[in-house]
Amino acid sequence: GWPSGPVVTAMFPSAVQVSQHQLLDPDGKELPHVWIEPANDKNKLIPAGTLTLYAHQPLQPGWHTVRILVGQGKLEWRFRVQ
């Protein structure tokens, strides 16, 4: 929908199998978001190894965290909204 949060994209050298994904606000609360990967991309625009998400609503200022589970591992990174 509109307005939404910023689009966050992760790129890997090859296809990855994600079992869980989260977008967390600065307080660690999970935010509703749209998740797009090659398997659910109806338009076939997302290449293999690319994962994209965005929040349903604009994000509040502060550090946000993206957490994904890939196989047996967990990847996590943070980004700042000003």
Side-chain angles (χ1 to χ4, degrees), residues 11-70:
M11 299 176 79
F12 298 89
S14 60
V16 293
Q17 184 70 28
V18 174
S19 58
Q20 184 180 3
H21 47 85
Q22 295 177 301
L23 174 60
L24 307 173
D25 72 7
D27 296 323
K29 178 182 168 191
E30 190 167 357
L31 298 171
H33 61 278
V34 173
W35 175 259
I36 305 170
E37 59 183 323
N40 70 355
D41 176 18
K42 297 175 194 173
N43 297 312
K44 305 298 180 201
L45 299 174
I46 304 293
T50 302
L51 310 170
T52 301
L53 64 86
Y54 61 91
H56 290 280
Q57 301 293 322
L59 299 177
Q60 299 299 318
W63 288 94
H64 292 74
T65 303
V66 175
R67 183 179 298 147
I68 59 174
L69 299 181
V70 179

